[in-house]
Amino acid sequence: MLQVEEAEMADKLKPDELAAARSKLRGWTIENGETQLKRSFKFKDFSEAFGFMSRVALLADKADHHPDWSNSYNKVEIVLSTHDAGGLTQKDVDLAGKISALV
Ligand SMILES: C[C@H](O)[C@H](O)[C@H]1CNC2=NC(N)=NC(=O)C2=N1
């Protein structure tokens, strides 16, 4: 039988949930009309930065929630937002927490 997997749509964070995220997620800023979580990371060199990105990629794929990011040599800039919801959801907060735990 054909199985159709339906992804669950996460709800946008309510003001109290946003406030909780802000105080929990040290190092991250909430930007672009409270639709994005953003953080910059700096490493010793490109190899360290890319190793970090590989670990983030595995976490993200496991969660089926993916960062918008850029890398320039030893710097990695990560933006988290739930595109399907058009803003921040618990998925972004959870992924940000897991990324923070890597460094
Ligand atoms: C089908 C799949 O679950 C969706 O396209 C997921 C994949 N990763 C995602 N990542 C992010 N950041 N936002 C999404 O809305 C999103 N949607």
Side-chain angles (χ1 to χ4, degrees):
M1 194 168 91
L2 181 69
Q3 278 198 316
V4 180
E5 253 185 68
E6 204 171 297
E8 228 176 84
M9 167 77 95
D11 288 328
K12 278 207 255 183
L13 296 180
K14 292 167 190 68
D16 58 320
E17 293 167 328
L18 260 180
R22 197 176 263 115
S23 62
K24 181 189 159 199
L25 297 172
R26 297 281 161 216
W28 294 82
T29 55
I30 297 177
E31 300 196 8
N32 200 37
E34 300 185 329
T35 62
Q36 298 177 336
L37 274 170
K38 203 167 172 181
R39 183 168 170 183
S40 296
F41 298 86
K42 195 172 177 184
F43 299 91
K44 182 172 66 87
D45 54 23
F46 175 76
S47 179
E48 294 281 325
F50 201 80
F52 167 73
M53 291 176 78
S54 303
R55 288 187 280 280
V56 172
L58 294 176
L59 282 178
D61 221 30
K62 200 169 168 189
D64 192 28
H65 196 64
H66 303 87
D68 298 313
W69 55 6
S70 64
N71 161 240
S72 178
Y73 181 54
N74 62 338
K75 290 183 193 144
V76 179
E77 188 172 272
I78 297 187
V79 176
L80 300 176
S81 187
T82 303
H83 306 301
D84 295 346
L88 288 171
T89 67
Q90 194 57 43
K91 289 184 173 186
D92 300 300
V93 177
D94 292 348
L95 186 56
K98 286 179 185 153
I99 291 171
S100 290
L102 293 176
V103 294

